[in-house]
């Protein structure tokens, strides 16, 4: 699959007159089109709801765009709940899925009437002292063992800290039933960033079969199945993208084969995608400001791992395009680095690229999810701005770049910071 930027060099040259690099930029038109594809893929279920994973890209302008397209919010912390509330997203448009959850987080989720998804059975007694029991609540399930797809181990849920065993889920539902809960959800996440079209259908079948068993054993009403996230994107040009229409049809078939014969055709399907919703529609744009010629050839950018830590943290691949040289021969090999005092601060290692000159702009693909949101301030590096390429071709700043004053704002240094901007 060929990866092409959604920005051209002439467009960028106009943008940087107002907004200097580095910055993350998002493509509104592509985001909206993808949101509509997701809804179309699950249109067979009139109750379907996508709860966008706020942690992936916690920017209110983007949350508002997705809300306009009918999406809710998947929140996992107090500030994410407040962010959703500030965007006018409350009540059952919020799914609150958290772990090792502070009391204040549960209380705010309860006050906002969010659907609370309990991660652990011990959280029920903890919540009992804090929040109000609602008619609709949920629990997170962990089947243990390995999750196998086409004879290949995709992940090992038994190693994950998330979710309850089957026995704990049954016990939790009975406890919640005694507290007045009438409608129950089951949630699970078994694999991360898979581009296999079979992932969601396989997960759905596991949860559908579990739901039938649980309803028969406890008599509770299963109101929804939340397939969570895990649907991935093709970071490498050699990967084939997921086909959301095929995925939706696979879930529908499992629904018809398992839930409908059991008389459970009122169960709603929910998802909590982040990466699939926004990942391909954001990019980190940075400029080459230094080159180094030692044992290797290095290209030094004005961005660093503080702006995109996935390559440093996971060794993750992000494709890179040199703007204006999209069709040039990739006949040079570089390490593309930032300026942190860490040797893993590299966006690419031994990457074949066109010849790069100081002043060239590099477009780092697929940073629309888990890009800016994972940023940090090591070495006192300041996090970049976020921009939105709007549907009419104009550019809107949706988060300004941090300043030195922002960095020092939490320090109690009265008088020492006078004059700092």
């Amino acid at each position: 699959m060929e990866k092409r930027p959604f920005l051209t060099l002439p467009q960028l040259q106009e943008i940087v007159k107002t907004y200097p690099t580095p910055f993350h930029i998002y493509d509104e038109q592509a985001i909206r089109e993808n949101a509509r594809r997701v809804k179309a893929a699950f249109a067979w279920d009139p109750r379907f709801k996508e709860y966008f994973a706020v942690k992936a890209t916690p920017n209110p302008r983007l949350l508002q765009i997705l809300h306009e397209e009918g999406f809710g919010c998947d929140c996992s912390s107090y500030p994410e709940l407040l962010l959703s509330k500030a965007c006018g997203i409350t009540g059952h448009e919020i799914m609150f899925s958290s772990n090792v959850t502070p009391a204040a987080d549960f209380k705010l989720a309860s006050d906002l009437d969010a659907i609370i998804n309990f991660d652990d059975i011990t959280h029920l007694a903890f919540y009992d002292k804090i929040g109000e029991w609602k008619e609709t609540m949920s629990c997170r399930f962990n089947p243990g063992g390995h999750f196998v797809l086409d004879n290949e181990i995709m992940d090992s849920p038994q190693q994950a800290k998330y979710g309850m065993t089957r026995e704990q889920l049954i016990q939790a539902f009975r406890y919640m039933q005694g507290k007045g809960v009438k409608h129950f959800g089951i949630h699970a996440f078994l694999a991360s960033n898979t581009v296999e079209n079979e992932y969601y259908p396989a997960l759905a079948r596991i949860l559908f079969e579990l739901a039938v068993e649980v309803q028969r054993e406890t008599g509770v009403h299963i109101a929804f199945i939340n397939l969570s996230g895990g649907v991935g994107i093709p970071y490498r040009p050699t990967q084939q993208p997921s086909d959301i229409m095929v995925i939706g049809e696979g879930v529908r078939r499992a629904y018809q084969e398992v839930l409908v014969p059991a008389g459970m055709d009122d169960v709603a399907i929910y998802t909590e995608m982040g990466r699939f919703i926004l990942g391909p529609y954001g990019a980190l744009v940075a400029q080459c400001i230094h080159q180094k010629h030692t044992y290797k050839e290095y290209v030094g950018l004005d961005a660093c791992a503080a702006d995109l830590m996935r390559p440093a943290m996971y060794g993750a691949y992000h494709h890179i395009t040199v703007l204006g040289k999209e069709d040039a021969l990739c006949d040079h090999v570089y390490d593309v680095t930032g300026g942190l005092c860490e040797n893993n601060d590299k966006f690419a290692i031994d990457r074949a690229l066109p010849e790069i000159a100081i002043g060239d702009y590099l477009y780092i693909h697929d940073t629309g999810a888990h890009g800016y949101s994972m940023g940090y301030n090591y070495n006192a590096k300041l996090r970049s701005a976020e921009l939105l390429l709007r549907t009419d071709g104009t550019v809107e700043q949706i988060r300004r770049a941090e300043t030195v004053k922002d960095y020092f704002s939490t320090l109690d240094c009265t008088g020492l910071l006078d004059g700092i901007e």
Side-chain angles (χ1 to χ4, degrees), residues 139-421:
C139 287
R140 188 168 187 169
F141 171 62
N142 185 327
H146 299 294
F147 176 64
V148 178
L149 194 63
D150 293 333
N151 296 317
E152 179 182 350
I153 295 176
M154 304 298 292
D155 218 322
S156 299
Q158 65 187 6
Q159 300 297 329
K161 67 175 182 175
Y162 310 110
M164 306 181 193
T165 67
R166 184 188 186 282
E167 294 73 20
Q168 289 173 336
L169 185 76
I170 295 289
Q171 185 180 347
F173 277 10
R174 286 178 170 151
Y175 182 95
M176 294 159 70
Q177 194 175 29
K179 295 295 181 178
V181 178
K182 297 179 180 178
H183 310 292
F184 295 78
I186 300 175
H187 172 290
F189 176 90
L190 301 187
S192 179
N193 191 36
T194 173
V195 293
E196 301 293 334
N197 291 332
E198 294 78 17
Y199 168 61
Y200 253 9
L203 171 61
R205 191 173 294 274
I206 291 169
L207 296 184
F208 294 166
E209 291 172 351
L210 174 68
V212 172
E213 294 170 4
V214 168
Q215 184 157 300
R216 286 174 179 167
E217 189 169 336
T218 65
V220 303
H221 174 235
I222 305 298
F224 66 84
I225 301 292
N226 189 331
L227 301 177
S228 188
V231 179
I233 61 173
Y235 285 100
R236 295 176 181 272
T238 53
Q239 291 179 291
Q240 290 299 312
S242 302
D243 187 330
I244 196 64
M245 300 306 294
V246 171
I247 291 170
E249 173 59 19
V251 175
R252 186 197 68 80
R253 284 199 304 270
Y255 191 102
Q256 291 293 323
E257 292 169 7
V258 178
L259 291 180
V260 171
M264 297 174 64
D265 57 354
D266 64 336
V267 174
I269 300 301
Y270 296 159
T271 57
E272 293 174 352
M273 292 180 280
R275 195 187 316 266
F276 184 83
I277 300 300
L278 285 188
Y281 313 115
L284 173 61
V285 181
Q287 188 174 36
C288 172
I289 59 173
H290 288 289
Q291 291 187 340
K292 185 173 183 176
H293 316 285
T294 54
Y295 305 104
K296 303 182 77 171
E297 293 294 306
Y298 294 96
V299 170
L301 306 186
D302 56 2
C304 66
D307 302 298
L308 178 65
M309 74 182 299
R310 294 186 72 253
M313 185 176 185
Y314 303 125
Y317 180 96
H318 280 264
H319 199 61
I320 297 175
T321 297
V322 184
L323 290 177
K325 300 180 180 179
E326 290 84 350
D327 299 314
L329 188 64
C330 294
D331 56 356
H332 287 63
V333 176
Y334 299 102
D335 280 13
V336 181
T337 79
L340 291 184
C341 296
E342 289 289 341
N343 197 45
N344 68 348
D345 180 21
K346 296 179 179 180
F347 297 108
I349 298 173
D350 296 330
R351 184 73 60 87
L353 292 165
E355 184 175 8
I356 297 172
I358 291 177
D360 280 349
Y361 291 101
L362 277 65
Y363 177 107
I364 303 177
H365 293 253
D366 301 319
T367 72
H370 310 292
Y372 181 94
S373 65
M374 295 177 72
Y376 57 105
N377 287 122
Y378 181 61
N379 268 178
K381 292 290 188 178
L382 305 176
R383 285 173 287 193
S384 70
E386 290 182 292
L387 309 180
L388 179 68
L389 178 63
R390 300 174 64 179
T391 55
D392 62 3
T394 60
V395 172
E396 174 187 351
Q397 180 175 261
I398 58 176
R399 189 193 303 268
R400 66 168 175 80
E402 284 184 332
T403 66
V404 174
K405 189 173 182 178
D406 293 326
Y407 179 77
F408 289 134
S409 64
T410 56
L411 297 173
D412 186 6
C413 298
T414 305
L416 296 179
L417 307 181
D418 292 347
I420 289 179
E421 298 180 359

Side-chain angles (χ1 to χ4, degrees), residues 97-146:
S97 296
S98 178
N99 68 95
V100 196
T101 308
D105 296 35
F106 271 139
K107 180 65 167 60
L108 180 57
S110 176
D111 291 346
L112 292 176
D113 198 29
I115 300 175
I116 295 175
N117 180 42
F118 291 103
D119 177 70
D120 186 68
I121 192 168
T122 64
H123 292 180
L124 304 183
F126 184 75
Y127 179 82
D128 216 0
K129 305 170 186 176
I130 299 162
E132 177 185 346
W133 291 97
K134 312 288 183 171
E135 286 196 355
T136 301
M137 304 191 91
S138 178
C139 287
R140 188 168 187 169
F141 171 62
N142 185 327
H146 299 294

